């Protein structure tokens, strides 16, 4: 292995004496990966800005791999390291491709010499997918990488039971051992930050100002305490003269003439009154305004009113304010399912202002005591993306008490339960794991499949036990989800179970897709050790079994697998020959 020729294109800084040339080049490459990922999300593929980043990334990656043979990166929640040196770091999780990999369980990422431009482009597509989009909600980075079947990109996902490290795809060379201690330390740190992660994953959808407001409202943080000396006027950012003008405007208007955008100022003015009667009048006016906004689906306008109100309801803020409890009662009435029925109509009619993000914001300021009723109300929301945004918000509100979600496991509909499991999987802490595990016994296969997808974020004996048992699920889609899990984690016990399935009498009755997935999973788990079994299965009389076997050979790669595929690529079975030629092309 030779040192890369530095500095690489686009580098302005010369080598630092404390870092090796390889590390400096890796740092440049990770910076390019980050910039190209952001450009991929923002620009069209023919845009000059995107093309400039893409061409630079391809050229520099090719040059690095030509010189060094392999780029091996350790993945942490906010940074990437190589040989203990930080080569990429970003404190925020937005636009942080390290966090995107880390939260789906990837702890090591390798690019190997021979990497094609097509492979790199597919990888960039995967790490820039919007997983909140309706058609991508059920996917994750790990499964998409597995399905892409890269020959020159390898990953290691967290699994304390895995007995094999990465193997060199296409060549059979064993990779260097992963630093197990580092992985354990990473997971310990992740567990310690579980509650923070719970909120942060959901707050990614809000802009910077909304995130700051929500954190202050929900946590009573130090920053929140520092601002507690402010009076309630600071919430609305209006001075005394402006307040007087608003008061005169409101007094000169009939109630049905007051513009909605002035409701927040009206609230402030009335909150300065201290008598119960005046507060009761405020409640009536406010709830009436909210009913109108909810019926119209104007959640962005409603949120502009509710976020300041939520701040007033906290005793950590505006300590001179005397109506904290009354405001809390107002929120209690606001979150009643019968009032939210106004909103459901606009949700299902496609008239929602602000979409899922606005719905998330609206529900994230609700009271925990209202969560059970809101969960029941959600049963009638038709749009999957809206329903899942609502679940995410309610999980955030209830993060200290997940009992309402345990109740959904017992009594909720399959659709709502699948949404709950999806949200719990994105949190990834020990409390959400209990909810997820409790749902696997559900009779609906959609729920069981969602459980398996969610469990990819966890490493626990119980999660592994469920995955292994799911290999025998009566429904194929559930078994396929389990196959993806055990393949990525290279579970040795699962490998033995797959061998038993292949040798069983009913194997030939499975669909071609499942046969292919089983052989590919076995190849991922056993690598070259699977070749004798694959060779034997090529002699089966069942043509569909033989076609499935060749995909396992494509995963193993290497000279021996190539020798087995080449005659088949020239064979009389046109369909198998075409598939073999395609696999051989990927192995080059």
């Amino acid at each position: 292995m030779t040192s890369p020729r530095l500095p690489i294109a686009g580098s302005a800084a010369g080598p630092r004496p404390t870092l090796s040339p390889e590390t400096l080049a890796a740092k440049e490459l990770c910076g390019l990966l980050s910039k190209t990922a952001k450009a991929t999300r923002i620009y069209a593929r023919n845009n000059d800005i995107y093309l400039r980043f893409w061409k630079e990334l391809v050229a520099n990656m090719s040059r690095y791999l030509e010189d060094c043979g392999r780029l091996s990166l350790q993945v942490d929640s906010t940074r990437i390291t190589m040989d203990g040196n930080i080569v990429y770091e970003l404190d925020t999780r937005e636009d942080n491709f390290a966090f995107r990999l880390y939260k789906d369980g990837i702890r090591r990422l390798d690019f190997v010499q021979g990497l094609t431009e097509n492979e790199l482009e597919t990888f960039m597509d995967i790490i820039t997918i919007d997983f909140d989009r309706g058609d991508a909600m059920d996917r994750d980075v790990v499964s998409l990488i597995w399905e892409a079947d890269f020959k020159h990109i390898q990953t290691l996902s967290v699994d304390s039971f895995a007995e094999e490290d990465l193997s060199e795809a296409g060549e059979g060379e064993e990779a260097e051992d992963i630093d197990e201690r580092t992985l354990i330390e990473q997971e310990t740190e992740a567990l310690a930050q579980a509650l923070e992660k719970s909120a942060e994953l959901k707050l990614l959808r809000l802009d910077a100002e909304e995130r700051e407001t929500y954190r202050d409202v929900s946590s009573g943080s130090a920053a929140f305490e520092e601002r507690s000396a402010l009076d309630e006027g600071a919430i609305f950012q209006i001075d005394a003269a402006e307040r007087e003008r608003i008061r005169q405007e409101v007094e000169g208007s009939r109630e049905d003439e007051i513009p909605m955008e002035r409701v927040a100022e009206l609230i402030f003015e009335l909150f300065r009154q201290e008598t119960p009667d005046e507060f009761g009048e405020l409640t009536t006016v406010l709830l009436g305004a909210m009913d109108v906004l909810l019926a119209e689906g104007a959640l962005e306008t409603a949120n502009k009113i509710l976020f300041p109100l939520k701040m007033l309801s906290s005793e950590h803020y505006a300590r001179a304010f005397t109506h904290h409890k009354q405001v809390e009662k107002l929120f209690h009435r606001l979150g009643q399912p019968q009032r939210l029925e106004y909103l459901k109509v606009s949700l299902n009619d496609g008239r929602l202002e602000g979409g899922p993000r606005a719905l998330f914001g609206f529900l994230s300021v609700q009271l925990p005591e209202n969560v059970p009723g809101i969960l029941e109300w959600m049963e009638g929301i038709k749009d999957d993306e809206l329903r899942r945004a609502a679940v995410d918000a309610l999980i955030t509100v209830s993060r200290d008490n997940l009992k309402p979600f345990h109740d959904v496991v017992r009594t909720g509909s399959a659709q709502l339960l699948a949404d709950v499991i999806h949200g719990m999987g994105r949190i990834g802490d020990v409390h959400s794991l209990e909810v997820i595990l409790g749902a696997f016994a559900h009779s609906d296969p959609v729920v069981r499949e969602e459980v398996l997808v969610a469990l990819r974020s966890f490493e626990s004996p119980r999660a592994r036990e469920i995955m292994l048992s799911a290999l025998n699920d009566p429904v194929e889609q559930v078994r396929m989800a389990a196959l993806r899990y055990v393949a990525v984690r290279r579970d040795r016990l699962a490998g033995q179970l797959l061998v038993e399935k292949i040798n069983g009498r009913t194997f030939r009755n499975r669909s071609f897709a499942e046969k292919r997935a089983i052989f590919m999973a076995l190849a991922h788990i056993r690598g070259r050790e699977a070749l004798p079994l694959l060779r034997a299965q090529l002699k089966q009389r069942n043509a569909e079994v033989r076609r499935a076997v060749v995909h396992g050979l494509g995963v193993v790669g290497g000279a021996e697998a190539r020798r087995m595929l080449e005659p088949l690529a020239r064979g009389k079975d046109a369909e198998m020959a075409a598939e073999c030629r395609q696999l051989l092309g990927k192995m080059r």
Side-chain angles (χ1 to χ4, degrees):
M1 179 184 297
T2 61
S3 296
R5 303 181 290 273
L6 289 176
I8 62 176
S11 172
R16 298 179 183 177
T18 56
L19 297 178
S20 68
E22 291 88 347
T23 303
L24 282 170
K27 190 170 185 177
E28 295 283 356
L29 272 174
C30 287
L32 278 173
L33 279 168
S34 179
K35 293 175 183 177
T36 307
K38 187 171 184 178
T40 301
R41 288 191 297 270
I42 296 175
Y43 302 109
R45 296 301 170 90
N46 60 352
N47 182 277
D48 290 341
I49 297 176
Y50 167 80
L51 290 172
R52 175 163 55 85
F53 284 126
W54 171 247
K55 290 177 180 178
E56 189 175 355
L57 174 63
V58 171
N60 291 331
M61 179 69 79
S62 299
R63 185 174 182 178
Y64 186 98
L65 296 179
E66 179 184 346
D67 290 341
C68 298
R70 174 185 290 268
L71 174 62
S72 185
L73 305 169
Q74 300 287 335
V75 181
D76 204 341
S77 57
T78 58
R79 65 186 184 182
I80 288 177
T81 61
M82 188 177 82
D83 298 329
N85 296 305
I86 298 174
V87 293
Y88 173 81
E89 186 169 27
L90 194 63
D91 290 336
T92 62
R93 292 174 175 178
E94 296 175 87
D95 297 325
N96 189 330
F97 79 94
F99 176 67
R100 171 62 65 93
L101 298 170
Y102 183 86
K103 77 182 184 67
D104 279 352
I106 293 176
R107 298 296 180 267
R108 175 167 159 175
L109 172 65
D110 283 37
F111 297 94
V112 181
Q113 187 172 10
L115 176 72
T116 65
E117 186 170 337
N118 182 61
E119 285 180 306
L120 185 57
E121 183 176 19
T122 301
F123 175 78
M124 298 304 297
D125 288 340
I126 290 173
I127 67 171
T128 54
I129 285 177
D130 178 6
F131 288 100
D132 292 325
R133 195 182 67 232
D135 60 349
M137 281 183 167
D138 296 328
R139 314 308 299 274
D140 59 56
V141 172
V142 171
S143 62
L144 289 173
I145 287 177
W146 180 74
E147 291 170 6
D149 193 23
F150 293 121
K151 300 306 176 190
H152 303 96
I153 301 176
Q154 300 153 15
T155 61
L156 180 69
S157 302
V158 173
D159 180 23
S160 58
F161 305 100
E163 298 181 22
E164 284 190 356
D165 287 334
L166 291 170
S167 61
E168 175 87 8
E171 299 298 331
E173 297 176 4
E174 294 187 359
E176 298 175 2
D177 291 341
I178 301 298
D179 185 347
E180 184 177 357
R181 182 177 178 182
T182 299
L183 295 183
I184 293 173
E185 289 174 352
Q186 290 172 349
E187 287 307 296
T188 301
E189 178 185 358
L191 183 59
Q193 298 174 349
L195 289 181
E196 177 187 352
K197 177 182 177 184
S198 170
E200 288 290 339
L201 286 175
K202 306 306 174 292
L203 293 173
L204 291 176
R205 299 181 181 178
L206 307 181
D207 62 30
E209 182 177 354
E210 289 171 329
R211 279 200 301 277
E212 182 179 357
T213 298
Y214 181 78
R215 285 195 188 96
D216 289 347
V217 169
S218 61
S219 67
S221 64
F224 193 87
E225 291 282 357
E226 290 174 4
R227 295 194 293 179
S228 63
L230 299 174
D231 69 14
E232 55 269 35
I235 298 175
F236 299 104
Q237 298 180 345
I238 53 178
D239 58 23
E242 175 71 1
R243 286 202 299 274
E244 178 61 22
R245 188 187 65 76
I246 293 168
R247 185 186 65 77
Q248 293 177 6
E249 178 184 332
V250 170
E251 286 181 352
S253 303
R254 296 200 313 269
E255 182 176 322
D256 60 355
E257 292 179 340
I258 299 175
M260 288 300 176
E261 59 267 21
R262 312 305 290 179
V263 172
E265 289 89 340
L266 172 62
I267 290 169
F268 171 78
E269 183 62 31
L270 291 178
F271 267 166
R272 297 185 68 82
Q273 310 299 323
E274 297 184 357
T275 67
D277 290 343
E278 288 167 327
F279 185 83
E281 179 184 351
L282 164 66
T283 301
T284 300
V285 172
L286 175 62
L287 290 176
M290 283 294 117
D291 288 344
V292 173
L293 293 173
L294 295 182
E296 293 178 351
L299 281 191
E300 289 188 331
T301 303
N303 289 342
K304 292 176 182 178
I305 300 170
L306 293 177
F307 287 171
L309 269 178
K310 189 68 174 180
M311 298 178 78
L312 285 177
S313 70
S314 172
E315 294 182 2
H316 293 287
Y317 197 94
R319 293 177 181 175
F321 182 66
T322 59
H323 295 300
H324 297 299
K325 292 184 179 180
Q326 290 90 332
V327 176
E328 186 171 329
K329 291 179 182 178
L330 190 150
F331 270 96
H332 174 75
R333 293 177 61 183
L334 180 65
Q336 295 298 305
Q338 57 267 31
R339 173 158 276 107
L340 296 178
E341 284 301 316
Y342 290 112
L343 177 60
K344 185 182 292 183
V345 175
S346 58
L347 290 178
N348 290 333
D349 287 349
R351 293 185 289 110
L352 180 63
E353 173 191 80
R357 179 175 171 227
L359 180 61
F360 173 86
F362 174 76
L363 293 178
S364 68
V365 297
Q366 301 300 320
L367 297 178
E369 64 196 56
N370 285 343
V371 168
I374 298 176
L375 282 169
E376 292 183 11
W377 164 80
M378 283 175 47
E379 295 274 11
I381 300 178
K382 299 175 183 177
D383 185 88
D384 291 344
E385 192 172 0
L386 289 174
R387 206 171 50 251
R388 291 195 166 181
V391 168
D392 285 351
L394 296 180
I395 291 174
T396 304
V397 171
S398 305
R399 61 186 181 275
D400 295 326
N401 177 21
L402 297 181
K403 182 180 182 303
F405 299 95
H406 285 284
D407 294 339
V408 171
V409 172
R410 292 192 295 271
T411 62
S413 68
Q415 183 181 57
L416 178 59
L417 180 53
D419 294 332
V420 166
I421 297 305
H422 177 269
M424 292 293 172
R426 296 177 64 191
I427 293 176
D429 64 19
V430 292
H431 304 296
S432 60
L433 178 60
E434 295 175 6
V435 178
I436 296 169
L437 293 174
F440 186 67
H442 200 278
S443 60
D444 193 301
V446 173
V447 173
R448 298 199 300 277
E449 182 182 12
E450 195 66 64
V451 168
L452 299 184
V453 172
L455 286 178
R456 295 174 191 169
S457 302
F458 300 89
E459 49 167 338
S460 78
R462 180 63 179 139
R464 184 201 189 209
E465 179 183 336
I466 283 179
M467 284 294 180
L468 294 176
S469 67
L471 293 173
N472 293 317
D473 194 274
V475 178
E476 180 178 311
Q477 70 191 65
V478 180
R479 298 195 299 267
M480 295 284 277
L483 281 170
R484 287 192 288 270
Y485 176 95
V486 298
V488 168
R489 282 159 176 76
R490 293 173 168 79
D491 190 292
R492 298 290 291 183
L493 178 56
Q496 182 57 41
L497 296 176
L498 295 181
V499 171
E500 294 173 6
K501 290 182 182 298
I502 291 170
N503 292 327
R505 294 181 177 180
T506 61
F507 180 72
R508 67 182 62 187
N509 298 328
R510 299 176 187 268
S511 72
F512 172 72
E514 186 174 5
K515 292 189 188 82
R516 180 179 59 190
I518 288 174
F519 282 121
M520 290 177 68
L522 182 64
H524 273 285
I525 293 169
R526 292 193 168 184
R528 289 176 297 167
E529 294 178 12
L531 287 175
L533 183 142
L534 297 178
R535 182 183 292 105
Q537 291 297 315
L538 278 178
K539 299 177 182 178
Q540 289 281 345
R541 299 178 64 180
N542 187 297
E544 198 171 75
V545 171
R546 297 196 303 275
R547 276 185 54 215
V549 170
V550 300
H551 290 275
L553 292 172
V555 170
V556 175
E560 188 173 356
R562 177 181 293 279
R563 286 194 295 271
M564 295 165 66
L565 288 172
E566 285 173 343
L568 298 174
R570 300 188 297 269
K572 296 180 180 179
D573 187 327
E575 193 169 12
M576 178 181 287
E579 291 179 354
C580 290
R581 287 193 296 271
Q582 184 179 22
L583 291 168
L584 287 167
K586 288 183 179 181
M587 293 168 62
R588 291 194 179 96

